[in-house]
Amino acid sequence: MTTAPPTPPDSDAAAFVAALRRLKAWSGLSYRRLEREAADAGHCLPYSTAATMLGRERLPREELVAAFVAACGIRGDAAEAWLDARTDIACGPASASASAPASADTTSTDIAPAAVVPAVVVPARTRPRRLRWTLVGVAALVTALLGGTTASGALTDDEEVVRETSTSARL
């Protein structure tokens, strides 16, 4: 007789992570096997990340929960329930007005103000880190080459100037 998989709690992060631990125990898979199952499901879940995620009491990122749940063999509505529970813990439960069905006299283009989620504006990086470190490396190389050529005298005049002074002895 098989048992049903654990259901996700929506109380707090510690209870959610404890439920993820129960889900791993229910699946019977090792961390390495979870990594392979997640890859087969199209997710990326390194075994060390899964172990760290279950060892903490903090709420894991949504993509890690999706990969972990898929690796444990949970699909469809059950997987959505885990992601919804994680979102409810992270952002608070959805308000009743947002989940209430619209009245019959409204058209499909009308959106209730409570249901509108503001967009999060993430500032784009102006310059990637790799490009920045490449430029720093090039500047250091140019500085070293110019310093070396100056020290060796390659940029100096090759003519030797001989000046005779009144105190110099003529031989």
Side-chain angles (χ1 to χ4, degrees):
M1 175 171 101
T2 60
T3 60
T7 57
D10 56 359
S11 55
D12 65 341
F16 187 81
V17 173
L20 287 174
R21 287 187 205 110
R22 286 192 303 274
L23 182 61
K24 180 191 177 293
W26 172 82
S27 72
L29 300 174
S30 67
Y31 289 113
R32 298 268 183 178
R33 187 71 188 154
L34 283 171
E35 180 179 20
R36 287 190 292 271
E37 292 293 326
D40 291 344
H43 296 280
C44 179
L45 180 68
Y47 72 92
S48 59
T49 302
T52 302
M53 176 178 73
L54 296 181
R56 293 182 178 168
E57 297 298 318
R58 293 188 320 188
L59 194 63
R61 294 189 322 259
E62 186 173 359
E63 62 268 14
L64 292 179
V65 173
F68 185 81
V69 168
C72 288
I74 306 296
R75 304 277 194 273
D77 291 338
E80 285 297 318
W82 280 92
L83 294 175
D84 290 344
R86 188 241 173 247
T87 302
D88 287 347
I89 293 169
C91 302
S95 64
S97 62
S99 62
S103 62
D105 62 341
T106 60
T107 62
S108 62
T109 58
D110 292 341
I111 298 175
V116 176
V117 177
V120 177
V121 178
V122 178
R125 279 195 210 166
T126 56
R127 192 180 290 178
R129 286 185 183 156
R130 180 172 284 171
L131 178 62
R132 184 181 313 147
W133 284 110
T134 302
L135 291 175
V136 168
V138 168
L141 180 66
V142 168
T143 303
L145 288 175
L146 286 176
T149 55
T150 303
S152 69
L155 300 178
T156 59
D157 210 4
D158 287 340
E159 260 182 56
E160 186 175 329
V161 177
V162 179
R163 293 186 187 167
E164 291 184 25
T165 61
S166 60
T167 58
S168 62
R170 294 184 187 210
L171 298 174

